[in-house]
Amino acid sequence: MSKALEVKNLNFSYDNTSEGPQTLKNISFSVEEGEYVALVGHNGSGKSTLAKLLAYLLEPTSGEVYLNGELESEKNIKKIRETIGVVFQNPDNQFIGSTVEGDIAFGLENRAIPREKMIELVHKYSHLVGMDKYLNKSPEELSGGQKQRVAIAGILALNLKIIIFDEATSMLDPEGVEDIMSLIHEMKKEDPSLTFISITHDIEEAYLADRVIILNNGEIIDEGKPEDVFLDEEKITRIGLDIPFVLKVKNALKEKGIEIDKSIKTLEELSSYLCVK
């Protein structure tokens, strides 16, 4: 696999100096093409700032971000916008169209997608996020969760190679979160080169990622496979996070002498595993 994104010695301060408060401090990591990576941390850890830096919505105070091996800069801004999309936490800041249909179509219109193809894509992705019955609704008629589904559909329809969810599921109910996570995994099956980065404080969501990176006070304190990183319960709880519920169940079973395979990440998988055992 090739590196979709590579971050080297990234520092960021909102006053744009090295002397002021540093939101991010010496951040280095890479994301492979086709990976689903979760960036986890409590509020104020620098997650959303990092999302904006990855998408070149902010410029670092120092350090570099490379997209497919090329340094992100104003010189390749068009390529960045054609490759990376971000769904932010507040859908009201992203809803541009006067209707659901118009909002999903907005980015496609900017890319001069032929009308027939655009209509096809709008219907396809509105259906995938469960909003196809609301195409003529205005934003005032939608709930926060419904607006977020529309924002997600608009990004997915652009056929980008890297999609960043910045707390994008935080306004969805549990069923909505499950729907979006299932959609991500289905899209990855269809196109294994798709790269997803989820900026989140939802530990259950992060546990389903290929890899997790934990931020605390603007620094990376751990990274690796979720089933390995979340084993260090003391470190996780010390920074104000929790471990996934399914891991708590597995730990309780372990105390009873029942060992569960590390690869099992959901309660459904756990139930099936125990039934077979």
Side-chain angles (χ1 to χ4, degrees):
M1 290 189 296
S2 61
K3 288 183 173 62
L5 283 167
E6 188 171 13
V7 178
K8 294 184 178 180
N9 305 315
L10 194 69
N11 293 278
F12 183 80
S13 171
Y14 278 99
D15 65 8
N16 205 32
T17 68
S18 57
E19 291 78 24
Q22 299 295 300
T23 304
L24 294 171
K25 310 161 193 172
N26 200 34
I27 299 289
S28 294
F29 67 92
S30 61
V31 177
E32 300 292 333
E33 182 182 279
E35 264 197 309
Y36 170 24
V37 176
L39 286 161
V40 182
H42 56 71
N43 291 337
S45 61
K47 304 189 304 296
S48 291
T49 298
L50 182 53
K52 293 182 178 71
L53 287 161
L54 294 178
Y56 202 69
L57 299 174
L58 291 174
E59 293 189 50
T61 303
S62 63
E64 300 92 33
V65 178
Y66 292 87
L67 173 63
N68 295 322
E70 186 177 352
L71 178 66
E72 290 189 353
S73 69
E74 286 295 330
K75 293 180 180 179
N76 60 356
I77 190 69
K78 186 175 184 290
K79 181 179 178 181
I80 295 169
R81 298 289 175 260
E82 291 176 346
T83 306
I84 303 177
V86 185
V87 183
F88 292 103
Q89 181 176 11
N90 188 345
D92 287 323
N93 295 338
Q94 303 172 83
F95 212 110
I96 298 170
S98 58
T99 64
V100 168
E101 184 177 40
D103 194 73
I104 298 174
F106 181 80
L108 299 170
E109 289 176 331
N110 284 344
R111 293 190 174 192
I113 301 297
R115 179 173 174 76
E116 287 188 8
K117 181 64 176 177
M118 183 166 54
I119 292 172
E120 177 188 331
L121 290 170
V122 168
H123 283 272
K124 174 182 178 180
Y125 287 100
S126 64
H127 174 72
L128 286 174
V129 300
M131 291 300 293
D132 49 318
K133 296 179 181 179
Y134 300 84
L135 289 176
N136 295 319
K137 297 290 185 181
S138 66
E140 293 79 14
E141 299 176 86
L142 305 177
S143 68
Q146 288 172 328
K147 291 177 188 175
Q148 194 63 295
R149 287 173 179 262
V150 174
I152 291 169
I155 288 293
L156 297 180
L158 293 175
N159 194 30
L160 304 166
K161 300 306 292 182
I162 302 172
I163 299 175
I164 301 173
F165 289 141
D166 184 10
E167 302 282 7
T169 60
S170 62
M171 296 187 70
L172 302 180
D173 58 24
E175 183 181 355
V177 174
E178 186 176 338
D179 288 345
I180 298 304
M181 291 301 102
S182 296
L183 176 57
I184 288 174
H185 288 291
E186 284 302 314
M187 291 182 68
K188 281 175 61 60
K189 283 182 183 178
E190 290 181 12
D191 183 357
S193 68
L194 277 178
T195 303
F196 287 92
I197 301 171
S198 178
I199 313 287
T200 184
H201 62 267
D202 186 332
I203 300 303
E204 308 301 330
E205 178 186 328
Y207 198 50
L208 299 177
D210 298 324
R211 189 158 53 93
V212 64
I213 298 171
I214 298 183
L215 287 171
N216 187 50
N217 294 326
E219 298 179 282
I220 293 177
I221 64 166
D222 204 355
E223 67 174 298
K225 292 184 177 180
E227 54 267 35
D228 295 326
V229 170
F230 287 115
L231 281 179
D232 194 341
E233 186 173 354
E234 182 181 349
K235 178 188 284 186
I236 297 299
T237 55
R238 190 169 62 243
I239 63 171
L241 298 175
D242 201 356
I243 64 170
F245 179 71
V246 68
L247 186 54
K248 291 180 181 180
V249 175
K250 289 165 70 175
N251 289 342
L253 290 171
K254 185 177 181 180
E255 290 178 1
K256 299 292 185 180
I258 304 173
E259 289 283 350
I260 305 296
D261 193 284
K262 285 200 306 183
S263 65
I264 292 177
K265 293 185 176 184
T266 68
L267 290 176
E268 289 79 8
E269 290 173 342
L270 180 58
S271 297
S272 299
Y273 181 83
L274 291 174
C275 288
V276 172
K277 295 288 282 187

